[in-house]
Amino acid sequence: MPREIEVKSVLNKTRKRDSWFLDDYTINMYSSCSFNCLYCYIRGSKYGENLEDSLSVKTNAIEILDRQLFNRAKKEQYGIIVLSSATDPYLQIEEKYQLTRQALEVIAKHKFPVHIITKSDLITRDYDLLHQINKTAILPSDLKPRLKNGVIVSFSFSTLDEAVASIFEKGATCPANRLKALNKTVKEGFLTGVSLMPLLPFISDTTESLHRFFSTFKESNVDYVLPATITLHGNEKADSKTLVMNAIRKHYSELESKYQGYFKNGFQMPAFYQKAFSKKMQELSEEYGLQNFIRSK
Ligand code: SF4
């Protein structure tokens, strides 16, 4: 059972808008994340090895969000709200608590635009509210040349392979169902794309895997693909580096020495690898005609 907690603030103003995700604000209706991805960037001792054990529901979040958005709207400080930056907005418990749905109602009322980032198919439940936001949201003036409407939806994938997903992101909606939700969302007419974050070195960033990703998403007619390689942090038992290294040792022993070499003393793949990765992604974007930034077509 998740803990129920009260918070003082829900709406977080970002210091600088991220050029990929276009976030002016972020909100997280839940704390921690039952999708439990081993590579998750929020991992660490605060949440423990099983993120689901530290899951919390912010019971007063809607009332506070309403007040905070009212104050921002009064000053015309419109900006894109990212749901979510440190959890998934459509966790299993969202079916019961409906905090994301209620947050979207409040966001629609105050006419803010949103960027939903998810690994879940539960988003399909909220198309009604997303259509309302899409039509009525007030975009920040500097993004008007780039965006036609008020909703962006990014589905996150680190693999399309069910077996790989069951190791690295076993709490999330399986890739096949995520893909179905992605296809439905494209057909609804929302600005929809893919966050390929993180790709798993030598597992889901192989040439074969990358072509599978790009051909699949081309067929889905997505608006963009945002790829990134992995970063892994920490040497304690609840840290992402430890958990991913344990999984590599257990399921991909042939890759253990490569991962050890790259991550023993660092948190990211070496510069030469990242350079080759960027070049490859650029080539694939051009080959498949899929832009690697968010912009309305
Ligand atoms: S869905 Fe996102 S926030 Fe949740 S565990 Fe996975 S990477 Fe972390």
Side-chain angles (χ1 to χ4, degrees), residues 89-90 94 98 100-102 104 122-131 190:
Y90 290 103
E94 167 63 14
Q98 305 218 358
T100 294
R101 182 160 178 86
Q102 293 175 61
L104 291 176
L122 186 55
I123 187 177
T124 58
R125 181 198 65 188
D126 289 342
Y127 286 157
D128 56 339
L129 289 169
L130 292 174
H131 277 300
F190 297 115

Short mmCIF file of all heavy atoms in Angstrom, two decimals, residues 89-90 94 98 100-102 104 122-131 190:
data_model
loop_
_atom_site.label_atom_id
_atom_site.label_comp_id
_atom_site.label_asym_id
_atom_site.label_seq_id
_atom_site.Cartn_x
_atom_site.Cartn_y
_atom_site.Cartn_z
N PRO A 89 3.39 9.52 -14.51
CA PRO A 89 2.06 10.04 -14.15
C PRO A 89 0.97 8.96 -14.18
O PRO A 89 -0.11 9.17 -13.64
CB PRO A 89 1.80 11.11 -15.22
CG PRO A 89 2.69 10.75 -16.36
CD PRO A 89 3.88 10.08 -15.78
N TYR A 90 1.26 7.83 -14.83
CA TYR A 90 0.23 6.79 -14.98
C TYR A 90 0.66 5.47 -14.36
O TYR A 90 0.64 4.42 -14.99
CB TYR A 90 -0.15 6.63 -16.46
CG TYR A 90 -0.91 7.83 -16.98
CD1 TYR A 90 -0.29 8.79 -17.78
CD2 TYR A 90 -2.23 8.02 -16.62
CE1 TYR A 90 -0.99 9.91 -18.21
CE2 TYR A 90 -2.94 9.14 -17.05
CZ TYR A 90 -2.32 10.07 -17.85
OH TYR A 90 -3.02 11.18 -18.27
N GLU A 94 -2.64 5.03 -10.11
CA GLU A 94 -3.40 6.14 -10.69
C GLU A 94 -4.83 5.69 -11.03
O GLU A 94 -5.77 6.49 -11.00
CB GLU A 94 -2.67 6.68 -11.93
CG GLU A 94 -3.44 7.62 -12.83
CD GLU A 94 -3.88 8.94 -12.19
OE1 GLU A 94 -3.39 9.28 -11.12
OE2 GLU A 94 -4.77 9.60 -12.78
N GLN A 98 -6.45 8.53 -9.20
CA GLN A 98 -6.81 9.49 -10.26
C GLN A 98 -6.24 10.90 -10.01
O GLN A 98 -6.87 11.90 -10.36
CB GLN A 98 -8.33 9.56 -10.40
CG GLN A 98 -8.96 8.22 -10.63
CD GLN A 98 -10.12 8.24 -11.61
OE1 GLN A 98 -10.52 9.27 -12.12
NE2 GLN A 98 -10.65 7.08 -11.90
N THR A 100 -3.50 12.17 -11.38
CA THR A 100 -3.08 12.77 -12.66
C THR A 100 -4.30 13.28 -13.41
O THR A 100 -4.27 14.38 -13.97
CB THR A 100 -2.30 11.73 -13.49
OG1 THR A 100 -1.08 11.44 -12.79
CG2 THR A 100 -1.98 12.24 -14.88
N ARG A 101 -5.37 12.50 -13.40
CA ARG A 101 -6.59 12.96 -14.07
C ARG A 101 -7.11 14.26 -13.44
O ARG A 101 -7.45 15.21 -14.15
CB ARG A 101 -7.66 11.86 -14.01
CG ARG A 101 -8.92 12.25 -14.74
CD ARG A 101 -9.84 11.15 -15.14
NE ARG A 101 -11.00 11.76 -15.78
CZ ARG A 101 -11.09 12.07 -17.06
NH1 ARG A 101 -10.09 11.81 -17.87
NH2 ARG A 101 -12.17 12.65 -17.55
N GLN A 102 -7.12 14.30 -12.14
CA GLN A 102 -7.60 15.52 -11.47
C GLN A 102 -6.65 16.70 -11.75
O GLN A 102 -7.08 17.84 -11.89
CB GLN A 102 -7.70 15.29 -9.97
CG GLN A 102 -8.79 14.30 -9.58
CD GLN A 102 -8.76 14.03 -8.09
OE1 GLN A 102 -8.95 14.93 -7.29
NE2 GLN A 102 -8.52 12.80 -7.70
N LEU A 104 -4.96 17.12 -14.47
CA LEU A 104 -5.25 17.59 -15.84
C LEU A 104 -6.51 18.46 -15.86
O LEU A 104 -6.60 19.43 -16.63
CB LEU A 104 -5.41 16.40 -16.79
CG LEU A 104 -4.12 15.61 -17.08
CD1 LEU A 104 -4.42 14.40 -17.97
CD2 LEU A 104 -3.06 16.49 -17.74
N LEU A 122 -2.17 3.76 -19.68
CA LEU A 122 -3.33 4.34 -18.99
C LEU A 122 -3.64 5.75 -19.48
O LEU A 122 -4.76 6.25 -19.30
CB LEU A 122 -3.07 4.33 -17.47
CG LEU A 122 -4.21 4.77 -16.56
CD1 LEU A 122 -5.48 3.96 -16.80
CD2 LEU A 122 -3.78 4.68 -15.10
N ILE A 123 -2.70 6.37 -20.14
CA ILE A 123 -2.93 7.72 -20.68
C ILE A 123 -4.16 7.76 -21.59
O ILE A 123 -4.83 8.78 -21.69
CB ILE A 123 -1.67 8.23 -21.43
CG1 ILE A 123 -1.87 9.69 -21.84
CG2 ILE A 123 -1.29 7.35 -22.60
CD1 ILE A 123 -0.68 10.32 -22.51
N THR A 124 -4.47 6.64 -22.23
CA THR A 124 -5.61 6.62 -23.18
C THR A 124 -6.93 6.98 -22.47
O THR A 124 -7.85 7.45 -23.09
CB THR A 124 -5.74 5.25 -23.88
OG1 THR A 124 -5.91 4.26 -22.88
CG2 THR A 124 -4.52 4.92 -24.71
N ARG A 125 -6.98 6.74 -21.16
CA ARG A 125 -8.18 7.09 -20.37
C ARG A 125 -8.47 8.59 -20.41
O ARG A 125 -9.61 9.02 -20.32
CB ARG A 125 -7.93 6.65 -18.91
CG ARG A 125 -9.08 6.92 -17.97
CD ARG A 125 -8.61 6.88 -16.52
NE ARG A 125 -7.67 7.95 -16.22
CZ ARG A 125 -6.99 8.05 -15.08
NH1 ARG A 125 -7.12 7.14 -14.15
NH2 ARG A 125 -6.16 9.06 -14.88
N ASP A 126 -7.41 9.40 -20.56
CA ASP A 126 -7.54 10.85 -20.36
C ASP A 126 -7.56 11.66 -21.66
O ASP A 126 -7.35 12.87 -21.64
CB ASP A 126 -6.40 11.36 -19.46
CG ASP A 126 -6.58 10.89 -18.03
OD1 ASP A 126 -7.70 10.49 -17.67
OD2 ASP A 126 -5.59 10.91 -17.28
N TYR A 127 -7.83 11.00 -22.78
CA TYR A 127 -7.86 11.75 -24.05
C TYR A 127 -8.85 12.91 -24.01
O TYR A 127 -8.62 13.95 -24.62
CB TYR A 127 -8.25 10.82 -25.20
CG TYR A 127 -7.17 9.86 -25.66
CD1 TYR A 127 -7.52 8.68 -26.34
CD2 TYR A 127 -5.81 10.11 -25.46
CE1 TYR A 127 -6.55 7.81 -26.79
CE2 TYR A 127 -4.84 9.23 -25.90
CZ TYR A 127 -5.22 8.07 -26.56
OH TYR A 127 -4.26 7.19 -27.00
N ASP A 128 -9.99 12.72 -23.32
CA ASP A 128 -10.99 13.80 -23.29
C ASP A 128 -10.38 15.10 -22.73
O ASP A 128 -10.50 16.17 -23.33
CB ASP A 128 -12.24 13.37 -22.49
CG ASP A 128 -11.91 12.92 -21.06
OD1 ASP A 128 -10.74 12.57 -20.79
OD2 ASP A 128 -12.82 12.93 -20.21
N LEU A 129 -9.68 14.98 -21.61
CA LEU A 129 -9.07 16.17 -21.01
C LEU A 129 -7.92 16.68 -21.86
O LEU A 129 -7.71 17.90 -21.98
CB LEU A 129 -8.57 15.83 -19.60
CG LEU A 129 -9.67 15.61 -18.57
CD1 LEU A 129 -9.10 15.02 -17.29
CD2 LEU A 129 -10.36 16.95 -18.27
N LEU A 130 -7.17 15.77 -22.44
CA LEU A 130 -6.04 16.20 -23.26
C LEU A 130 -6.52 16.96 -24.50
O LEU A 130 -5.90 17.94 -24.92
CB LEU A 130 -5.17 14.99 -23.65
CG LEU A 130 -4.43 14.35 -22.46
CD1 LEU A 130 -3.71 13.08 -22.88
CD2 LEU A 130 -3.43 15.32 -21.83
N HIS A 131 -7.64 16.54 -25.06
CA HIS A 131 -8.20 17.30 -26.20
C HIS A 131 -8.59 18.70 -25.78
O HIS A 131 -8.35 19.67 -26.50
CB HIS A 131 -9.41 16.56 -26.79
CG HIS A 131 -9.02 15.47 -27.75
ND1 HIS A 131 -8.30 15.71 -28.90
CD2 HIS A 131 -9.21 14.13 -27.72
CE1 HIS A 131 -8.08 14.57 -29.54
NE2 HIS A 131 -8.62 13.60 -28.84
N PHE A 190 -2.64 14.14 -31.36
CA PHE A 190 -1.74 14.88 -30.46
C PHE A 190 -0.32 14.88 -31.02
O PHE A 190 0.07 13.96 -31.74
CB PHE A 190 -1.72 14.23 -29.07
CG PHE A 190 -3.05 14.24 -28.38
CD1 PHE A 190 -3.72 13.05 -28.10
CD2 PHE A 190 -3.65 15.44 -28.02
CE1 PHE A 190 -4.95 13.06 -27.47
CE2 PHE A 190 -4.89 15.46 -27.38
CZ PHE A 190 -5.55 14.26 -27.11
#
